[in-house]
Amino acid sequence: LLQRFQGVGLLDSSIILLPDELAEQWSGCGPTTGKAAIKVMVEWDWLSGKLEMQLLAGRTHDQNNDLAVRLPPAGYLRIGDLGFFNLKQFQQMTQAGAYWLSRLKAGTTLVLNPQAQSTSITQLLGVVSTDEVEVELWLGQGLRVACRLLARRLPQPQAEEALRKLHQDAQREGRTASSDQITLAQWSVLITNIPKGLLSLSE
């Protein structure tokens, strides 16, 4: 399956805590990453084994580095988590002939067709009775990015655990989980510009 692409890049980051004395050189984010921390930004090509890495201050945003913002070549597939969710970047990769695959970020505006009003993932999945959904749509209110949305309902035990953790985190942070967050805890929802003929929902 992966041989269909020129490369399959997995983009991710990890935090390594450091002694507080190094905060001036490697600043952290306070309670989460301490006063000093290093962020290790990595892109690993699953096909070739090529590994590229950058060391950044722990407080650096995932998207604020060379590995995250550079455009991959045509035919290359990049997979990143929600820390790299960026509609402008998705559009630029599409224009360059590259592919991207991501989870859907809660609160993202969905547009089913140019004449339709915008909708949300909660409204879209709230009316379906099937366990799988595949639809072509646009992401974003102003900058509209064409993509396929692929959704599969999670098994009940997995969904219940995700909901429990969601509400627990929200309570700890003094907020209420949004309807989109609640929906995304019960479904696996992916967005991609890979055409159906190159990657099916089941794949």
Side-chain angles (χ1 to χ4, degrees), residues 10 13 27-28 34 43-44 48 59 94 101-102 106 109 117 127 130 146 157 175 186 193:
L10 305 181
S13 67
S27 54
E43 182 163 21
W44 175 49
S48 68
R59 66 182 304 145
T94 297
L101 176 70
S102 171
T109 298
Q117 290 186 329
V127 297
T130 59
R175 58 178 177 83
Q186 301 174 77
N193 68 337

Side-chain angles (χ1 to χ4, degrees), residues 6-156:
Q6 297 301 312
V8 180
L10 305 181
L11 193 62
D12 206 357
S13 67
S14 295
I15 295 288
I16 299 174
L17 300 182
L18 299 174
D20 290 349
E21 291 78 8
L22 296 175
E24 185 174 343
Q25 294 86 0
W26 302 99
S27 54
C29 292
T32 304
T33 64
K35 292 183 179 180
I38 283 181
K39 173 169 286 190
V40 184
M41 184 66 57
V42 169
E43 182 163 21
W44 175 49
D45 186 340
W46 203 342
L47 288 183
S48 68
K50 181 181 179 181
L51 182 70
E52 296 186 75
M53 180 173 63
Q54 284 188 333
L55 300 182
L56 309 163
R59 66 182 304 145
T60 307
H61 192 281
D62 277 348
Q63 298 181 29
N64 189 21
N65 64 87
D66 296 338
L67 292 182
V69 302
R70 70 179 180 183
L71 288 178
Y76 188 95
L77 168 60
R78 174 173 288 166
I79 302 174
D81 64 19
L82 289 177
F84 303 96
F85 189 96
N86 186 307
L87 296 184
K88 183 178 180 180
Q89 184 76 358
F90 292 159
Q91 187 179 64
Q92 290 175 343
M93 283 192 280
T94 297
Q95 292 171 345
Y99 301 115
W100 47 269
L101 176 70
S102 171
R103 290 168 55 208
L104 179 68
K105 188 174 184 178
T108 302
T109 298
L110 308 179
V111 181
L112 295 176
N113 65 67
Q115 287 73 41
Q117 290 186 329
S118 61
T119 186
S120 68
I121 191 63
T122 299
Q123 293 171 318
L124 180 66
L125 296 180
V127 297
V128 301
S129 57
T130 59
D131 290 336
E132 289 188 348
V133 175
E134 178 174 357
V135 61
E136 294 184 0
L137 45 69
W138 288 264
L139 304 173
Q141 186 65 50
L143 176 66
R144 293 190 174 180
V145 180
C147 73
R148 293 164 63 210
L149 184 145
L150 312 172
R152 176 174 287 165
R153 197 186 304 270
L154 295 176
Q156 186 173 350

Side-chain angles (χ1 to χ4, degrees), residues 149-187:
L149 184 145
L150 312 172
R152 176 174 287 165
R153 197 186 304 270
L154 295 176
Q156 186 173 350
Q158 188 176 346
E160 289 176 351
E161 174 60 21
L163 285 170
R164 183 195 65 78
K165 186 176 185 303
L166 173 65
H167 290 303
Q168 184 180 62
D169 291 345
Q171 185 178 28
R172 186 179 66 249
E173 297 169 8
R175 58 178 177 83
T176 302
S178 69
S179 58
D180 275 7
Q181 289 175 322
I182 292 172
T183 298
L184 291 171
Q186 301 174 77
W187 290 77

